[in-house]
Short mmCIF file of all heavy atoms in Angstrom, two decimals:
data_model
loop_
_atom_site.label_atom_id
_atom_site.label_comp_id
_atom_site.label_asym_id
_atom_site.label_seq_id
_atom_site.Cartn_x
_atom_site.Cartn_y
_atom_site.Cartn_z
N LEU A 114 7.93 27.97 -5.27
CA LEU A 114 6.88 26.89 -5.29
C LEU A 114 6.10 26.95 -4.00
O LEU A 114 4.88 26.74 -4.02
CB LEU A 114 7.62 25.57 -5.40
CG LEU A 114 8.10 25.18 -6.81
CD1 LEU A 114 9.02 24.01 -6.74
CD2 LEU A 114 6.88 24.88 -7.69
N ARG A 115 6.72 27.20 -2.85
CA ARG A 115 5.97 27.22 -1.55
C ARG A 115 5.02 28.43 -1.59
O ARG A 115 3.95 28.36 -1.01
CB ARG A 115 6.93 27.29 -0.40
CG ARG A 115 7.57 25.91 -0.14
CD ARG A 115 8.36 25.91 1.16
NE ARG A 115 9.61 26.65 1.01
CZ ARG A 115 10.75 26.14 0.60
NH1 ARG A 115 10.82 24.89 0.22
NH2 ARG A 115 11.83 26.92 0.54
N ASP A 116 5.41 29.52 -2.28
CA ASP A 116 4.46 30.66 -2.38
C ASP A 116 3.23 30.34 -3.14
O ASP A 116 2.22 31.03 -3.01
CB ASP A 116 5.21 31.83 -3.09
CG ASP A 116 6.24 32.50 -2.19
OD1 ASP A 116 6.19 32.24 -0.96
OD2 ASP A 116 7.11 33.26 -2.73
N LEU A 117 3.26 29.28 -3.99
CA LEU A 117 2.04 28.86 -4.76
C LEU A 117 1.05 28.12 -3.89
O LEU A 117 -0.05 27.85 -4.34
CB LEU A 117 2.48 28.08 -5.97
CG LEU A 117 3.26 28.79 -7.06
CD1 LEU A 117 3.65 27.81 -8.17
CD2 LEU A 117 2.50 29.97 -7.59
N ASP A 118 1.48 27.77 -2.68
CA ASP A 118 0.55 27.09 -1.76
C ASP A 118 -0.11 25.90 -2.37
O ASP A 118 -1.28 25.73 -2.43
CB ASP A 118 -0.52 28.08 -1.26
CG ASP A 118 -1.26 27.55 -0.04
OD1 ASP A 118 -0.68 26.72 0.69
OD2 ASP A 118 -2.40 27.96 0.19
N LEU A 119 0.75 24.95 -2.88
CA LEU A 119 0.32 23.74 -3.46
C LEU A 119 -0.35 22.80 -2.42
O LEU A 119 0.05 22.83 -1.26
CB LEU A 119 1.41 23.03 -4.17
CG LEU A 119 2.10 23.74 -5.35
CD1 LEU A 119 3.35 22.97 -5.76
CD2 LEU A 119 1.14 23.85 -6.52
N PRO A 120 -1.29 21.97 -2.83
CA PRO A 120 -1.84 20.99 -1.89
C PRO A 120 -0.85 19.84 -1.65
O PRO A 120 -0.97 18.74 -2.17
CB PRO A 120 -3.12 20.54 -2.62
CG PRO A 120 -2.90 20.77 -4.05
CD PRO A 120 -1.99 21.97 -4.14
N ALA A 121 0.17 20.15 -0.83
CA ALA A 121 1.22 19.16 -0.56
C ALA A 121 1.69 19.36 0.89
O ALA A 121 1.61 20.50 1.39
CB ALA A 121 2.39 19.35 -1.50
N ASP A 122 2.18 18.28 1.51
CA ASP A 122 2.62 18.36 2.88
C ASP A 122 4.01 19.00 2.99
O ASP A 122 4.35 19.61 4.02
CB ASP A 122 2.66 16.96 3.48
CG ASP A 122 1.28 16.34 3.52
OD1 ASP A 122 0.46 16.79 4.36
OD2 ASP A 122 1.01 15.44 2.75
N LEU A 123 4.81 18.90 1.94
CA LEU A 123 6.19 19.44 1.94
C LEU A 123 6.61 19.74 0.55
O LEU A 123 6.33 18.95 -0.38
CB LEU A 123 7.12 18.42 2.61
CG LEU A 123 8.62 18.77 2.66
CD1 LEU A 123 8.88 19.96 3.60
CD2 LEU A 123 9.42 17.55 3.08
N VAL A 124 7.34 20.84 0.35
CA VAL A 124 8.00 21.18 -0.89
C VAL A 124 9.47 21.45 -0.57
O VAL A 124 9.76 22.32 0.33
CB VAL A 124 7.37 22.42 -1.55
CG1 VAL A 124 8.17 22.83 -2.78
CG2 VAL A 124 5.87 22.17 -1.93
N VAL A 125 10.36 20.74 -1.21
CA VAL A 125 11.78 20.88 -0.94
C VAL A 125 12.58 20.68 -2.23
O VAL A 125 12.09 19.98 -3.11
CB VAL A 125 12.22 19.95 0.17
CG1 VAL A 125 12.13 18.48 -0.25
CG2 VAL A 125 13.64 20.25 0.67
N THR A 126 13.74 21.29 -2.35
CA THR A 126 14.51 21.16 -3.58
C THR A 126 15.93 20.69 -3.28
O THR A 126 16.42 20.74 -2.13
CB THR A 126 14.62 22.57 -4.26
OG1 THR A 126 15.44 23.42 -3.47
CG2 THR A 126 13.26 23.17 -4.49
#
Side-chain angles (χ1 to χ4, degrees):
L114 283 167
R115 286 188 287 273
D116 286 345
L117 293 179
D118 194 25
L119 297 171
D122 297 289
L123 176 68
V124 174
V125 66
T126 68

